[in-house]
Amino acid sequence: MYFAALLARTEDGWEASDTELDDVETLSDLADLAREASPDEDTVLVLIEQEDAWFGVVRVDGEEDPRIYVSDAAAAARSSYGEILLTDELLGRDPDDGDDLDALDLDGTEDGDSDDDEADDDEPVAGTGEAVPHGPVGDAQILDDLGVSEKELRSLTTDAVTEIAEALGASETLETVR
């Protein structure tokens, strides 16, 4: 079960809107959706939560690139909404690695040999074969200036969206769309 909401900061405080992510396919689509929620280019937060598995925060400030935090990348990688947030940049990957000789896997598996004997704690991203780390990724200081420290953000687990809204003073606003 997922919950997604937009919180837009305005002169009068936070405004919340329930958001449907069915038509969102990329991070760019999500950023455009967030920008539409605030015509004055104020801060907009996209809060996404999969019950007891992971949560994500996307922050859009005007035309700046979105900032992202995901509480558990491996769990999010198993979700269509999470895959939108897990960009190559967020995961520390160079999208052109396939063309770089330094990126070639020269451990004997390039001829189709399997390396299934090696245990790996990271989860492969669907369709890429690349591993995603367990645990948080992204900008853990994404909400620092709004009153949620990196330490507080990293400690959130269940019902994180509600706790973030409470810290921002927007819990009543969020409840109107929940």
Side-chain angles (χ1 to χ4, degrees), residues 55 69 136-140 149-157:
F55 71 91
Y69 175 80
V137 295
D139 184 355
S149 71
E150 177 179 350
K151 182 179 179 182
E152 290 169 318
L153 188 63
R154 289 183 185 269
S155 70
L156 297 175
T157 53

Side-chain angles (χ1 to χ4, degrees), residues 2 50 53-54 70-79 82 86 123 132-135:
Y2 293 94
Q50 182 181 4
W54 67 275
V70 176
S71 66
D72 186 336
R78 294 186 294 268
S79 152
L86 298 175
E123 299 283 331
V132 175
H134 286 275

Side-chain angles (χ1 to χ4, degrees), residues 54-112:
W54 67 275
F55 71 91
V57 179
V58 178
R59 179 177 177 160
V60 177
D61 293 300
E63 291 300 317
E64 292 181 26
D65 288 341
R67 295 167 56 193
I68 306 164
Y69 175 80
V70 176
S71 66
D72 186 336
R78 294 186 294 268
S79 152
S80 59
Y81 297 138
E83 287 179 349
I84 293 169
L85 306 181
L86 298 175
T87 64
D88 286 332
E89 182 180 347
L90 187 71
L91 295 173
R93 291 190 206 132
D94 182 357
D96 298 326
D97 274 351
D99 301 330
D100 187 353
L101 286 177
D102 293 335
L104 289 177
D105 184 9
L106 300 176
D107 68 354
T109 62
E110 67 272 6
D111 295 323

Side-chain angles (χ1 to χ4, degrees), residues 16-18 170-178:
S17 56
D18 191 6
S171 58
E172 288 181 21
T173 304
L174 182 68
E175 285 305 313
T176 62
V177 298
R178 198 176 265 270

